[in-house]
Amino acid sequence: LLRMIFAFSMQIFPMFVHGTEYATEIVQLVLIYGMAGWLFSKYPLGGWSHGVFHVVAAVSNPIMLEFSTKVPQSREAVELAARCALSARSWS
């Protein structure tokens, strides 16, 4: 459980570095990871708990993806991806 807490907190840590600008995302991720951790540690659904843990944890992916496109460090990569998408559309 401690390794899982460490792994999930390392995903949230960059949001803390950027300040309160991402407070909503931080709260959402803490709730998602808290629920996933509870499912993993308490096993309330028996053998299904581990699978449900992964489904609940997967809900965090869109939040993390949106955050990663908002930070200034990814601006160049996002612009390159947009240019590639536009150029691919012109070929079809």
Side-chain angles (χ1 to χ4, degrees):
L1 185 61
L2 291 177
R3 285 184 280 173
M4 186 179 359
I5 292 170
F6 178 75
F8 285 152
S9 63
M10 291 307 295
Q11 294 177 18
I12 298 173
F13 180 73
M15 293 180 181
F16 282 111
V17 172
H18 290 283
T20 59
E21 181 179 354
Y22 301 105
T24 304
E25 288 88 347
I26 292 170
V27 170
Q28 289 173 339
L29 290 173
V30 167
L31 290 173
I32 290 168
Y33 293 149
M35 184 182 299
W38 177 78
L39 283 166
F40 190 80
S41 63
K42 298 297 181 187
Y43 253 69
L45 305 173
W48 290 94
S49 293
H50 189 90
V52 175
F53 155 79
H54 284 283
V55 170
V56 170
V59 173
S60 68
N61 290 342
I63 298 167
M64 295 299 292
L65 181 61
E66 183 179 351
F67 166 73
S68 68
T69 60
K70 288 180 180 178
V71 292
Q73 293 85 345
S74 66
R75 181 154 300 141
E76 184 179 334
V78 170
E79 289 173 0
L80 176 62
R83 283 195 304 271
C84 288
L86 288 174
S87 122
R89 192 178 313 166
S90 68
W91 284 92
S92 55

